Amino acid sequence: MSAQPKNKPHSRPVKRARRITAPQITARKGGDPIVCLTAYDAPTAEILDEHVDLILVGDSLGMVVHGLPSTVGVTLDMMILHGKAVMRGSKTAMVVVDLPFGAYEASKEQAFGAASRVMMETGCQAVKIESGTYAAETIEYLVTRGIPVMSHVGLRPQSMHVLGGFKARGRTAEIADEILENAKAASDAGSFAVVVEGVSEKLANRVTKAVSIPTIGIGASAQCDGQILVTPDMLGQFERVPKFVKKYCDQLGATREAIANYAADVTDRSFPGEANLYHFNKPSS
Ligand code: KIV
């Protein structure tokens, strides 16, 4: 695990009166880095809220919460359930909910139906879609109808079966140019920001220079306009994480130790101890 100084000097936590909006995120292009993380439940969202600008309810929840092999099996109902929890836990960070595989690709009307349902039922501020140039029409349709869209280019986990897995992308000039075009199309169509995942630092920097909206990097470059990680990955909840993840604590080790200690305490009857017991003064109790 990487050594991380405790309480690194920083301007955060931040005090804000109201939720960050999509235009405020867009206005941060080229400015202070935009801090983003994923959350799937209320208690985590509550912890994140004062430290991050944007919380993504990512469809990564399929893998890190539900134990699915990929994000492909995630449903709109799952996204809405977790989106509601994150909205309850957070107060001022912008909350973006992923549209899952199958909920938006068929047509712009299908995308509007899914996105409006997510926004109405969760109260979130925006949706995210994984997008190639083909998605430009959908993005424009949603944005002109009141739904802010965050796009996602580069490694697009929902397309893993076409891309051949979760490998970093853009190794050939042709694919790198295609990713750049996808980002430009997303920006021109009116996305308020674009996630750039699993590409070389050089390509991420090219994309960041080429588009007028903030790039949010994950496995990309420190020069992106912001960064995001899957929170359980950076908290060290899993043994194996992608190369681009920096583990900021060892949650797996701490959890294993706590569970083992609990099991030992129950086994030798040292739990519950005196501090955990009720004693009422009535004679019958
Ligand atoms: O689903 C997710 O968590 C994401 C992030 C990795 C950007 O899309």
Side-chain angles (χ1 to χ4, degrees):
M1 195 178 74
S2 350
Q4 180 68 8
K6 276 193 182 149
N7 301 324
K8 208 174 175 184
H10 204 285
S11 58
R12 291 173 184 269
V14 286
K15 290 255 175 291
R16 295 178 292 237
R18 54 182 70 87
R19 276 201 199 268
I20 295 190
T21 63
Q24 285 172 330
I25 295 289
T26 304
R28 299 266 296 271
K29 175 77 185 172
D32 283 348
I34 302 161
V35 183
C36 315
L37 279 172
T38 67
Y40 318 103
D41 58 68
T44 307
E46 198 173 333
I47 297 169
L48 261 50
D49 196 60
E50 61 176 350
H51 297 282
V52 308
D53 301 299
L54 185 150
I55 299 175
L56 172 69
V57 186
D59 61 355
S60 49
L61 63 83
M63 295 152 91
V64 300
V65 177
H66 292 273
L68 293 170
S70 75
T71 58
V72 172
V74 175
T75 65
L76 197 58
D77 287 340
M78 287 161 81
M79 296 310 303
I80 290 172
L81 185 74
H82 289 278
K84 282 180 181 170
V86 168
M87 284 301 292
R88 283 193 288 266
S90 63
K91 287 194 179 69
T92 64
M94 176 172 193
V95 175
V96 180
V97 176
D98 257 344
L99 291 190
F101 179 68
Y104 63 94
E105 302 89 336
S107 66
K108 50 192 193 312
E109 290 82 6
Q110 184 209 23
F112 184 80
S116 57
R117 209 188 131 202
V118 165
M119 296 205 41
M120 288 165 74
E121 292 186 31
T122 68
C124 73
Q125 280 77 58
V127 297
K128 176 165 81 59
I129 64 171
E130 295 185 9
S131 57
T133 46
Y134 65 87
E137 202 190 347
T138 294
I139 295 167
E140 198 177 336
Y141 191 83
L142 296 185
V143 175
T144 52
R145 282 159 182 76
I147 300 179
V149 176
M150 188 179 206
S151 296
H152 185 151
V153 302
L155 171 57
R156 291 179 279 132
Q158 291 176 8
S159 298
M160 60 162 297
H161 293 300
V162 170
L163 303 178
F166 292 116
K167 285 193 290 280
R169 301 210 64 232
R171 288 165 208 270
T172 64
E174 198 189 348
I175 305 278
D177 288 348
E178 184 189 311
I179 292 169
L180 182 65
E181 287 316 309
N182 288 344
K184 281 186 187 162
S187 175
D188 293 347
S191 304
F192 73 89
V194 57
V195 170
V196 182
E197 176 167 359
V199 300
S200 69
E201 183 187 33
K202 190 171 156 202
L203 176 57
N205 292 347
R206 264 177 82 199
V207 171
T208 300
K209 283 202 187 92
V211 298
S212 58
I213 53 173
T215 53
I216 308 297
I218 171 163
S221 163
Q223 300 315 312
C224 286
D225 299 295
Q227 300 294 326
I228 188 161
L229 283 175
V230 169
T231 301
D233 283 348
M234 58 85 79
L235 291 179
Q237 203 171 306
F238 304 105
E239 226 138 61
R240 282 170 56 86
V241 289
K243 169 190 164 71
F244 59 76
V245 175
K246 176 172 172 180
K247 288 188 186 177
Y248 285 80
C249 72
D250 177 20
Q251 213 174 61
L252 180 62
T255 304
R256 278 187 176 144
E257 195 181 324
I259 303 300
N261 287 340
Y262 169 76
D265 283 358
V266 171
T267 307
D268 70 11
R269 296 191 189 280
S270 55
F271 176 82
E274 198 46 42
N276 317 109
L277 296 173
Y278 294 109
H279 298 291
F280 300 126
N281 292 328
K282 287 194 202 137
S284 60
S285 56

